[in-house]
Amino acid sequence: HGVTALLRLFSGVVVDRSNRCKELAFVGYGVSAVSRLGLLFAGVSWPLIASVVAIDRAAKGLRAVPRDVLISLSSHSTTLATSFGVHRALDSAGAMLGPLVALAILAVMPDAFDVVFVCSFSVAICGLGVLVFFVHNPKSRASEPETSGVLSSLSEFRRALRDPRLLRLTVAATLLSAATVSDGFIYLVLQDQVGFNAGLFPLLYVGTSASYLAFAVPAGRLADRIGRRTALLTGYCFLALSYLLTMQSDIGMTGLVGCLLLLGTHYALTDGVLMALASGFLPIERRGTGLAALTTATSLTRLAASVIFGMLWTQLGLRVALTVFAVGLFLAVSFAYFIVERDTAQDFDSDT
Protein backbone atom coordinates (compact mmCIF):
# COMPACT_ATOMS: atom_id res chain seq x y z
CA HIS A 1 0.00 0.00 0.00
CA GLY A 2 2.87 2.39 0.74
CA VAL A 3 4.46 1.81 -2.68
CA THR A 4 1.06 2.13 -4.37
CA ALA A 5 0.47 5.45 -2.60
CA LEU A 6 3.83 6.83 -3.70
CA LEU A 7 3.22 5.71 -7.29
CA ARG A 8 -0.18 7.39 -7.23
CA LEU A 9 1.43 10.65 -6.11
CA PHE A 10 4.16 10.30 -8.71
CA SER A 11 1.68 9.63 -11.51
CA GLY A 12 -0.37 12.68 -10.50
CA VAL A 13 2.68 14.93 -10.77
CA VAL A 14 3.71 13.42 -14.12
CA VAL A 15 0.19 13.87 -15.50
CA ASP A 16 0.13 17.55 -14.56
CA ARG A 17 3.58 18.26 -15.98
CA SER A 18 3.50 16.18 -19.14
CA ASN A 19 -0.21 15.93 -20.06
CA ARG A 20 0.43 12.24 -20.90
CA CYS A 21 -2.63 10.74 -19.26
CA LYS A 22 -3.20 8.15 -21.96
CA GLU A 23 0.41 6.92 -22.02
CA LEU A 24 0.65 6.61 -18.25
CA ALA A 25 -2.69 4.81 -18.04
CA PHE A 26 -1.49 2.46 -20.80
CA VAL A 27 1.62 1.55 -18.78
CA GLY A 28 -0.48 0.84 -15.69
CA TYR A 29 -3.04 -1.30 -17.49
CA GLY A 30 -0.30 -2.99 -19.56
CA VAL A 31 1.64 -4.07 -16.48
CA SER A 32 -1.54 -5.47 -14.93
CA ALA A 33 -2.24 -7.41 -18.13
CA VAL A 34 1.25 -8.94 -18.17
CA SER A 35 0.89 -9.86 -14.50
CA ARG A 36 -1.85 -12.31 -15.52
CA LEU A 37 0.76 -14.27 -17.42
CA GLY A 38 3.08 -13.83 -14.46
CA LEU A 39 0.62 -15.75 -12.31
CA LEU A 40 0.57 -18.45 -14.95
CA PHE A 41 4.35 -18.95 -14.74
CA ALA A 42 4.57 -18.45 -10.96
CA GLY A 43 3.10 -21.88 -10.37
CA VAL A 44 2.80 -22.77 -6.69
CA SER A 45 5.71 -20.59 -5.54
CA TRP A 46 4.14 -18.22 -3.03
CA PRO A 47 7.03 -15.67 -3.17
CA LEU A 48 6.55 -15.37 -6.94
CA ILE A 49 2.78 -15.16 -6.58
CA ALA A 50 3.12 -12.45 -3.92
CA SER A 51 5.54 -10.52 -6.14
CA VAL A 52 3.21 -10.66 -9.14
CA VAL A 53 0.23 -9.52 -7.05
CA ALA A 54 2.33 -6.67 -5.61
CA ILE A 55 3.30 -5.56 -9.12
CA ASP A 56 -0.34 -5.66 -10.19
CA ARG A 57 -1.38 -3.51 -7.21
CA ALA A 58 1.43 -1.06 -7.94
CA ALA A 59 0.24 -0.80 -11.54
CA LYS A 60 -3.25 0.00 -10.25
CA GLY A 61 -1.79 2.90 -8.28
CA LEU A 62 0.02 4.11 -11.39
CA ARG A 63 -3.01 4.11 -13.70
CA ALA A 64 -5.81 5.34 -11.42
CA VAL A 65 -4.97 9.05 -11.45
CA PRO A 66 -4.35 9.48 -15.22
CA ARG A 67 -7.53 7.51 -15.91
CA ASP A 68 -9.61 9.78 -13.68
CA VAL A 69 -7.99 12.91 -15.11
CA LEU A 70 -8.83 11.66 -18.61
CA ILE A 71 -12.45 11.20 -17.58
CA SER A 72 -12.68 14.66 -16.03
CA LEU A 73 -11.03 16.43 -18.98
CA SER A 74 -13.23 14.57 -21.46
CA SER A 75 -16.49 15.50 -19.69
CA HIS A 76 -18.62 18.60 -19.43
CA SER A 77 -18.40 20.32 -16.06
CA THR A 78 -22.11 19.82 -15.36
CA THR A 79 -22.04 16.05 -15.98
CA LEU A 80 -18.80 15.05 -14.23
CA ALA A 81 -20.50 12.72 -11.74
CA THR A 82 -22.47 11.05 -14.54
CA SER A 83 -19.27 10.47 -16.52
CA PHE A 84 -17.53 8.93 -13.53
CA GLY A 85 -20.67 6.89 -12.89
CA VAL A 86 -20.53 5.44 -16.41
CA HIS A 87 -16.90 4.44 -15.90
CA ARG A 88 -17.57 2.91 -12.48
CA ALA A 89 -20.55 1.01 -13.89
CA LEU A 90 -18.43 -0.53 -16.64
CA ASP A 91 -15.67 -1.25 -14.12
CA SER A 92 -18.18 -2.97 -11.86
CA ALA A 93 -19.44 -4.99 -14.82
CA GLY A 94 -15.93 -6.34 -15.28
CA ALA A 95 -15.56 -7.02 -11.57
CA MET A 96 -18.86 -8.92 -11.62
CA LEU A 97 -18.31 -10.89 -14.82
CA GLY A 98 -14.67 -11.81 -14.13
CA PRO A 99 -15.33 -14.14 -11.17
CA LEU A 100 -18.39 -15.61 -12.89
CA VAL A 101 -16.41 -16.43 -16.04
CA ALA A 102 -13.62 -17.90 -13.93
CA LEU A 103 -16.09 -20.07 -12.01
CA ALA A 104 -17.69 -21.21 -15.27
CA ILE A 105 -14.31 -22.20 -16.73
CA LEU A 106 -13.32 -24.07 -13.59
CA ALA A 107 -16.70 -25.80 -13.49
CA VAL A 108 -16.11 -27.18 -16.99
CA MET A 109 -12.35 -27.71 -16.58
CA PRO A 110 -11.48 -28.23 -12.91
CA ASP A 111 -8.04 -26.95 -11.88
CA ALA A 112 -7.57 -25.25 -15.28
CA PHE A 113 -6.27 -22.05 -13.71
CA ASP A 114 -3.92 -21.53 -16.65
CA VAL A 115 -6.95 -21.15 -18.93
CA VAL A 116 -8.42 -18.58 -16.52
CA PHE A 117 -5.21 -16.52 -16.57
CA VAL A 118 -4.91 -16.67 -20.36
CA CYS A 119 -8.54 -15.58 -20.79
CA SER A 120 -7.99 -12.70 -18.37
CA PHE A 121 -4.87 -11.65 -20.28
CA SER A 122 -6.74 -11.77 -23.61
CA VAL A 123 -9.55 -9.55 -22.33
CA ALA A 124 -6.98 -7.11 -20.91
CA ILE A 125 -5.27 -6.89 -24.33
CA CYS A 126 -8.62 -5.98 -25.90
CA GLY A 127 -9.01 -3.21 -23.33
CA LEU A 128 -5.53 -1.91 -24.13
CA GLY A 129 -6.47 -1.86 -27.80
CA VAL A 130 -9.47 0.35 -27.07
CA LEU A 131 -7.24 2.68 -25.03
CA VAL A 132 -4.66 2.94 -27.82
CA PHE A 133 -6.99 3.47 -30.78
CA PHE A 134 -10.02 5.26 -29.34
CA VAL A 135 -8.75 7.40 -26.43
CA HIS A 136 -6.93 10.68 -26.92
CA ASN A 137 -5.19 13.09 -24.56
CA PRO A 138 -7.35 16.22 -24.30
CA LYS A 139 -5.37 19.19 -25.66
CA SER A 140 -6.52 21.68 -23.07
CA ARG A 141 -3.24 23.14 -21.87
CA ALA A 142 0.42 23.39 -22.72
CA SER A 143 2.75 20.72 -21.37
CA GLU A 144 5.26 21.69 -18.72
CA PRO A 145 8.77 20.32 -18.29
CA GLU A 146 8.56 16.89 -16.70
CA THR A 147 10.51 16.18 -13.54
CA SER A 148 10.43 13.02 -11.51
CA GLY A 149 11.32 11.66 -8.15
CA VAL A 150 9.62 10.97 -4.85
CA LEU A 151 10.68 14.31 -3.34
CA SER A 152 9.22 16.20 -6.29
CA SER A 153 5.95 14.28 -5.94
CA LEU A 154 5.70 15.01 -2.23
CA SER A 155 6.46 18.68 -2.86
CA GLU A 156 3.66 18.88 -5.42
CA PHE A 157 1.40 17.04 -2.97
CA ARG A 158 1.97 19.73 -0.33
CA ARG A 159 1.46 22.49 -2.88
CA ALA A 160 -1.86 21.01 -4.00
CA LEU A 161 -3.15 20.90 -0.42
CA ARG A 162 -2.67 24.67 -0.15
CA ASP A 163 -5.95 24.92 -2.00
CA PRO A 164 -8.38 25.37 0.93
CA ARG A 165 -11.23 23.56 -0.85
CA LEU A 166 -9.08 20.54 -1.59
CA LEU A 167 -7.71 20.55 1.95
CA ARG A 168 -11.19 20.60 3.47
CA LEU A 169 -12.41 17.87 1.14
CA THR A 170 -9.34 15.73 1.87
CA VAL A 171 -9.81 16.11 5.63
CA ALA A 172 -13.49 15.22 5.35
CA ALA A 173 -12.86 12.24 3.05
CA THR A 174 -10.09 11.01 5.34
CA LEU A 175 -12.40 11.08 8.36
CA LEU A 176 -15.10 9.25 6.41
CA SER A 177 -12.54 6.64 5.34
CA ALA A 178 -11.37 6.24 8.93
CA ALA A 179 -14.85 4.99 9.81
CA THR A 180 -15.15 2.68 6.80
CA VAL A 181 -15.10 -1.07 7.42
CA SER A 182 -13.50 -3.23 4.73
CA ASP A 183 -16.02 -5.20 2.69
CA GLY A 184 -14.16 -8.39 3.57
CA PHE A 185 -15.08 -7.99 7.24
CA ILE A 186 -18.74 -7.37 6.37
CA TYR A 187 -18.77 -10.48 4.18
CA LEU A 188 -17.24 -12.58 6.97
CA VAL A 189 -19.99 -11.46 9.33
CA LEU A 190 -22.68 -12.22 6.73
CA GLN A 191 -21.24 -15.67 6.10
CA ASP A 192 -21.17 -16.43 9.82
CA GLN A 193 -24.72 -15.21 10.44
CA VAL A 194 -26.38 -16.72 7.38
CA GLY A 195 -24.27 -19.88 7.40
CA PHE A 196 -23.88 -20.42 3.65
CA ASN A 197 -21.13 -22.55 2.09
CA ALA A 198 -17.68 -20.95 2.11
CA GLY A 199 -17.33 -21.79 -1.57
CA LEU A 200 -20.03 -19.21 -2.30
CA PHE A 201 -18.11 -16.44 -0.54
CA PRO A 202 -16.87 -14.82 -3.82
CA LEU A 203 -20.48 -14.34 -4.86
CA LEU A 204 -20.80 -11.65 -2.19
CA TYR A 205 -18.32 -9.55 -4.16
CA VAL A 206 -20.35 -10.27 -7.29
CA GLY A 207 -23.53 -9.16 -5.54
CA THR A 208 -21.99 -5.86 -4.44
CA SER A 209 -20.60 -5.29 -7.93
CA ALA A 210 -24.02 -5.99 -9.46
CA SER A 211 -25.64 -3.47 -7.11
CA TYR A 212 -22.91 -0.94 -7.87
CA LEU A 213 -23.40 -1.53 -11.60
CA ALA A 214 -27.14 -0.95 -11.35
CA PHE A 215 -26.91 2.30 -9.38
CA ALA A 216 -23.65 3.92 -10.58
CA VAL A 217 -25.07 5.89 -13.53
CA PRO A 218 -28.36 6.93 -11.83
CA ALA A 219 -26.35 7.99 -8.76
CA GLY A 220 -24.03 10.06 -10.94
CA ARG A 221 -26.96 11.80 -12.60
CA LEU A 222 -28.55 12.42 -9.22
CA ALA A 223 -25.31 13.89 -7.88
CA ASP A 224 -25.07 16.29 -10.83
CA ARG A 225 -28.62 17.46 -10.12
CA ILE A 226 -28.82 17.72 -6.33
CA GLY A 227 -25.16 18.43 -5.59
CA ARG A 228 -22.18 16.11 -5.30
CA ARG A 229 -21.55 16.86 -1.64
CA THR A 230 -25.12 15.85 -0.77
CA ALA A 231 -24.83 12.64 -2.79
CA LEU A 232 -21.44 11.80 -1.26
CA LEU A 233 -22.63 12.16 2.32
CA THR A 234 -25.85 10.27 1.56
CA GLY A 235 -23.72 7.41 0.28
CA TYR A 236 -21.91 7.16 3.59
CA CYS A 237 -25.24 7.15 5.41
CA PHE A 238 -26.14 4.05 3.36
CA LEU A 239 -22.85 2.49 4.52
CA ALA A 240 -23.71 3.21 8.15
CA LEU A 241 -27.09 1.55 7.60
CA SER A 242 -25.31 -1.55 6.31
CA TYR A 243 -23.38 -1.68 9.60
CA LEU A 244 -26.61 -1.52 11.59
CA LEU A 245 -28.20 -4.21 9.43
CA THR A 246 -25.16 -6.47 9.80
CA MET A 247 -25.42 -6.21 13.59
CA GLN A 248 -28.79 -7.99 13.55
CA SER A 249 -28.42 -11.59 14.72
CA ASP A 250 -31.30 -12.97 12.60
CA ILE A 251 -30.37 -11.23 9.36
CA GLY A 252 -31.25 -14.12 7.04
CA MET A 253 -30.97 -14.15 3.25
CA THR A 254 -33.23 -11.11 2.90
CA GLY A 255 -30.96 -9.09 5.16
CA LEU A 256 -27.91 -10.36 3.26
CA VAL A 257 -29.32 -9.14 -0.05
CA GLY A 258 -30.28 -5.85 1.58
CA CYS A 259 -26.77 -5.41 2.91
CA LEU A 260 -25.25 -6.00 -0.54
CA LEU A 261 -27.68 -3.47 -2.02
CA LEU A 262 -26.67 -0.91 0.61
CA LEU A 263 -22.98 -1.49 -0.08
CA GLY A 264 -23.46 -1.15 -3.82
CA THR A 265 -25.49 2.04 -3.38
CA HIS A 266 -22.80 3.39 -1.08
CA TYR A 267 -20.13 2.90 -3.75
CA ALA A 268 -22.38 4.36 -6.45
CA LEU A 269 -22.87 7.54 -4.44
CA THR A 270 -19.29 7.95 -3.23
CA ASP A 271 -16.54 6.50 -5.43
CA GLY A 272 -16.96 8.39 -8.69
CA VAL A 273 -18.86 11.23 -7.01
CA LEU A 274 -15.84 12.06 -4.83
CA MET A 275 -13.64 12.33 -7.93
CA ALA A 276 -16.26 14.47 -9.66
CA LEU A 277 -16.57 16.74 -6.63
CA ALA A 278 -12.82 17.35 -6.54
CA SER A 279 -12.51 17.69 -10.33
CA GLY A 280 -15.21 20.36 -10.27
CA PHE A 281 -12.99 22.91 -8.56
CA LEU A 282 -9.41 21.69 -9.12
CA PRO A 283 -7.60 23.75 -11.79
CA ILE A 284 -6.57 21.74 -14.82
CA GLU A 285 -2.85 22.29 -14.24
CA ARG A 286 -3.05 20.72 -10.75
CA ARG A 287 -5.88 18.23 -11.22
CA GLY A 288 -3.71 15.12 -11.36
CA THR A 289 -1.79 16.04 -8.21
CA GLY A 290 -4.98 17.04 -6.41
CA LEU A 291 -6.79 13.80 -7.20
CA ALA A 292 -3.66 11.84 -6.25
CA ALA A 293 -3.46 13.62 -2.90
CA LEU A 294 -7.12 12.92 -2.19
CA THR A 295 -7.10 9.23 -3.16
CA THR A 296 -3.81 8.54 -1.42
CA ALA A 297 -5.05 9.99 1.85
CA THR A 298 -8.30 8.01 1.72
CA SER A 299 -6.73 4.69 0.70
CA LEU A 300 -4.07 4.78 3.41
CA THR A 301 -6.70 5.74 5.98
CA ARG A 302 -8.90 2.82 4.95
CA LEU A 303 -5.96 0.48 5.43
CA ALA A 304 -5.45 1.81 8.96
CA ALA A 305 -9.21 1.57 9.62
CA SER A 306 -9.19 -2.11 8.67
CA VAL A 307 -6.42 -2.80 11.16
CA ILE A 308 -8.24 -0.91 13.90
CA PHE A 309 -11.54 -2.67 13.19
CA GLY A 310 -9.82 -6.06 13.33
CA MET A 311 -8.27 -5.18 16.69
CA LEU A 312 -11.61 -3.99 18.10
CA TRP A 313 -13.34 -7.14 16.86
CA THR A 314 -10.68 -9.33 18.46
CA GLN A 315 -10.48 -7.50 21.77
CA LEU A 316 -14.04 -6.23 22.36
CA GLY A 317 -16.27 -8.24 20.05
CA LEU A 318 -18.03 -7.69 16.75
CA ARG A 319 -20.99 -5.69 18.04
CA VAL A 320 -18.77 -3.17 19.82
CA ALA A 321 -16.53 -2.80 16.75
CA LEU A 322 -19.49 -2.19 14.43
CA THR A 323 -21.09 0.23 16.88
CA VAL A 324 -17.91 2.26 17.19
CA PHE A 325 -17.54 2.52 13.42
CA ALA A 326 -21.24 3.30 12.85
CA VAL A 327 -21.17 6.13 15.41
CA GLY A 328 -17.86 7.35 14.01
CA LEU A 329 -19.29 7.36 10.50
CA PHE A 330 -22.34 9.42 11.47
CA LEU A 331 -20.06 11.91 13.26
CA ALA A 332 -17.77 12.08 10.22
CA VAL A 333 -20.76 12.74 7.93
CA SER A 334 -21.95 15.56 10.21
CA PHE A 335 -18.48 17.11 10.29
CA ALA A 336 -18.05 16.80 6.52
CA TYR A 337 -21.39 18.50 5.91
CA PHE A 338 -20.11 21.70 7.52
CA ILE A 339 -16.55 21.82 6.18
CA VAL A 340 -17.09 20.75 2.55
CA GLU A 341 -18.53 23.49 0.38
CA ARG A 342 -21.72 22.76 -1.49
CA ASP A 343 -20.83 22.49 -5.18
CA THR A 344 -22.59 24.90 -7.52
CA ALA A 345 -22.34 25.74 -11.18
CA GLN A 346 -20.03 28.63 -10.32
CA ASP A 347 -17.51 26.20 -8.79
CA PHE A 348 -17.06 24.20 -11.99
CA ASP A 349 -14.04 24.73 -14.18
CA SER A 350 -15.24 26.52 -17.29
CA ASP A 351 -12.41 25.01 -19.34
CA THR A 352 -13.49 21.43 -18.73
Side-chain angles (χ1 to χ4, degrees):
H1 284 274
V3 173
T4 301
L6 290 177
L7 283 174
R8 187 181 288 113
L9 290 176
F10 173 77
S11 67
V13 173
V14 172
V15 162
D16 286 341
R17 296 190 175 187
S18 68
N19 197 24
R20 297 293 183 181
C21 301
K22 173 182 173 178
E23 291 78 2
L24 200 56
F26 177 85
V27 172
Y29 281 109
V31 171
S32 289
V34 173
S35 70
R36 304 298 187 270
L37 296 182
L39 288 173
L40 178 62
F41 294 108
V44 295
S45 173
W46 71 262
L48 288 177
I49 294 175
S51 299
V52 172
V53 172
I55 292 173
D56 176 65
R57 294 300 87 190
K60 182 178 181 180
L62 188 65
R63 70 178 183 252
V65 172
R67 178 203 65 204
D68 286 344
V69 172
L70 271 174
I71 295 172
S72 71
L73 294 180
S74 303
S75 307
H76 192 275
S77 59
T78 58
T79 58
L80 278 171
T82 302
S83 297
F84 278 101
V86 171
H87 169 264
R88 269 43 176 188
L90 294 175
D91 193 53
S92 297
M96 179 181 65
L97 293 176
L100 292 177
V101 172
L103 288 173
I105 292 174
L106 294 176
V108 177
M109 297 178 287
D111 300 324
F113 294 99
D114 54 342
V115 177
V116 173
F117 296 143
V118 170
C119 288
S120 178
F121 173 76
S122 301
V123 173
I125 292 298
C126 292
L128 286 173
V130 173
L131 179 62
V132 169
F133 295 109
F134 297 100
V135 177
H136 305 282
N137 284 315
K139 297 179 180 179
S140 56
R141 54 185 166 82
S143 299
E144 300 178 14
E146 182 178 348
T147 59
S148 59
V150 174
L151 292 180
S152 174
S153 300
L154 294 177
S155 176
E156 293 293 334
F157 174 82
R158 291 192 297 269
R159 186 180 306 173
L161 288 178
R162 292 174 186 171
D163 184 328
R165 289 178 296 181
L166 178 62
L167 179 58
R168 288 194 293 269
L169 180 59
T170 302
V171 171
T174 299
L175 290 175
L176 291 167
S177 298
T180 298
V181 178
S182 171
D183 290 351
F185 285 120
I186 299 296
Y187 296 157
L188 286 173
V189 177
L190 293 176
Q191 181 190 8
D192 180 66
Q193 292 185 352
V194 178
F196 57 84
N197 190 294
L200 300 178
F201 191 86
L203 293 181
L204 296 178
Y205 291 92
V206 174
T208 300
S209 296
S211 176
Y212 190 4
L213 170 63
F215 296 121
V217 176
R221 290 176 177 171
L222 180 66
D224 285 328
R225 294 187 61 181
I226 68 173
R228 295 158 196 165
R229 181 195 65 170
T230 301
L232 177 72
L233 299 183
T234 302
Y236 276 99
C237 290
F238 277 106
L239 180 62
L241 290 176
S242 73
Y243 295 170
L244 298 179
L245 180 59
T246 307
M247 292 171 61
Q248 307 303 313
S249 57
D250 55 345
I251 185 172
M253 287 300 299
T254 302
L256 184 148
V257 173
C259 188
L260 296 183
L261 289 173
L262 288 172
L263 288 175
T265 306
H266 155 69
Y267 284 119
L269 287 168
T270 57
D271 189 9
V273 172
L274 178 61
M275 295 297 98
L277 180 58
S279 298
F281 62 76
L282 282 170
I284 293 176
E285 64 273 11
R286 292 199 304 273
R287 188 163 299 176
T289 307
L291 293 181
L294 178 61
T295 55
T296 297
T298 54
S299 62
L300 291 179
T301 304
R302 288 187 180 187
L303 173 62
S306 296
V307 175
I308 294 172
F309 182 83
M311 294 174 59
L312 288 175
W313 187 353
T314 302
Q315 299 296 326
L316 302 176
L318 175 62
R319 182 171 293 274
V320 172
L322 285 172
T323 301
V324 168
F325 270 69
V327 172
L329 193 52
F330 280 120
L331 292 175
V333 168
S334 301
F335 181 77
Y337 180 82
F338 290 105
I339 69 169
V340 177
E341 295 182 10
R342 179 178 176 84
D343 49 309
T344 64
Q346 287 74 24
D347 292 329
F348 298 144
D349 193 326
S350 60
D351 295 330
T352 315

